[in-house]
């Protein structure tokens, strides 16, 4: 195995800080870091648009991301503003469907990115680590779904 680069060490540290992958061991973070990349997005820049093919997911290291959907009347609705540590775009990467929303940088952002191809490569190269990452994403999605269910139920009362 090659020596970790400064970039891989930075990615490892960001993965450890995000709080999504608490079940990973230190060696798992180091191995996973080789599959992620870092991007910087300027405030107001679109990260992806509703309906796009989902080829990558992101985890916010710094900044805020607005999640927007277009209503039936054409109005843009901000569904949520995500902050540091939150993952987004994972639904399309996991299920292969098109993007369900548009994500815009609400402020200057630094993001960790995991491409669909990189996730597939990790599944082949390091299946136990990839399974831990996918499980953590599934738990995160489950929590969000439960919260949305609760909000819908509260609106029905």
């Amino acid at each position: 195995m090659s020596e970790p680069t400064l970039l891989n060490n930075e990615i490892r540290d960001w993965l450890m800080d995000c709080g999504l992958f608490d079940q990973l061991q230190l060696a798992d973070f180091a191995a996973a870091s080789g599959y992620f990349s870092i991007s910087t997005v300027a405030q107001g820049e679109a990260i992806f648009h509703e309906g796009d093919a989902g080829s990558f997911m992101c985890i916010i290291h710094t900044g805020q991301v607005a999640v927007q959907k277009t209503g039936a009347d054409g109005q843009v609705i901000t569904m949520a503003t995500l902050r540091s540590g939150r993952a987004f775009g994972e639904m399309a990467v996991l299920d292969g469907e098109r993007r369900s929303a548009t994500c815009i940088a609400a402020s200057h952002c630094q993001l960790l990115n995991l491409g669909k191809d990189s996730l597939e490569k990790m599944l082949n190269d390091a299946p136990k680590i990839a399974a831990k990452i996918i499980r953590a994403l599934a738990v995160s999605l489950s929590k969000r779904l439960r919260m949305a269910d609760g909000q819908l139920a509260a609106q029905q009362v």
Side-chain angles (χ1 to χ4, degrees):
M1 187 174 199
S2 62
E3 284 294 309
T5 65
L6 287 175
L7 178 60
N8 281 33
N9 288 341
E10 184 174 15
I11 292 170
R12 178 204 63 210
D13 293 346
W14 286 17
L15 286 170
M16 290 171 69
D17 287 346
C18 78
L20 279 174
F21 307 115
D22 293 337
Q23 75 282 11
L24 268 66
Q25 302 298 315
L26 183 58
D28 297 338
F29 284 110
S33 69
Y35 298 92
F36 285 80
S37 61
I38 293 175
S39 65
T40 301
V41 184
Q43 182 175 355
E45 187 176 331
I47 300 163
F48 53 74
H49 294 94
E50 186 173 357
D52 286 353
S55 60
F56 65 96
M57 60 162 283
C58 303
I59 302 168
I60 304 169
H61 180 65
T62 61
Q64 298 180 5
V65 172
V67 180
Q68 302 176 338
K69 287 195 67 76
T70 304
D73 60 357
Q75 288 285 102
V76 175
I77 304 158
T78 298
M79 305 297 291
T81 301
L82 309 178
R83 292 171 173 43
S84 180
R86 282 290 301 269
F88 63 96
E90 70 275 37
M91 288 179 4
V93 168
L94 293 174
D95 67 14
E97 298 292 322
R98 298 209 166 263
R99 299 290 188 187
S100 64
T102 296
C103 286
I104 307 286
S107 66
H108 177 84
C109 294
Q110 290 182 308
L111 306 173
L112 279 170
N113 306 302
L114 178 62
K116 190 172 188 169
D117 292 343
S118 293
L119 181 58
E120 289 292 327
K121 184 167 174 29
M122 189 188 325
L123 277 165
N124 290 325
D125 298 348
K128 288 182 180 181
I129 296 168
K132 289 178 185 180
I133 286 175
I134 291 169
R135 184 176 194 288
L137 294 173
V139 167
S140 174
L141 285 169
S142 177
K143 286 178 182 176
R144 291 198 329 237
L145 181 58
R146 288 177 193 276
M147 191 169 59
D149 286 348
Q151 290 170 343
L152 281 174
Q155 290 175 359
Q156 301 303 315
V157 176

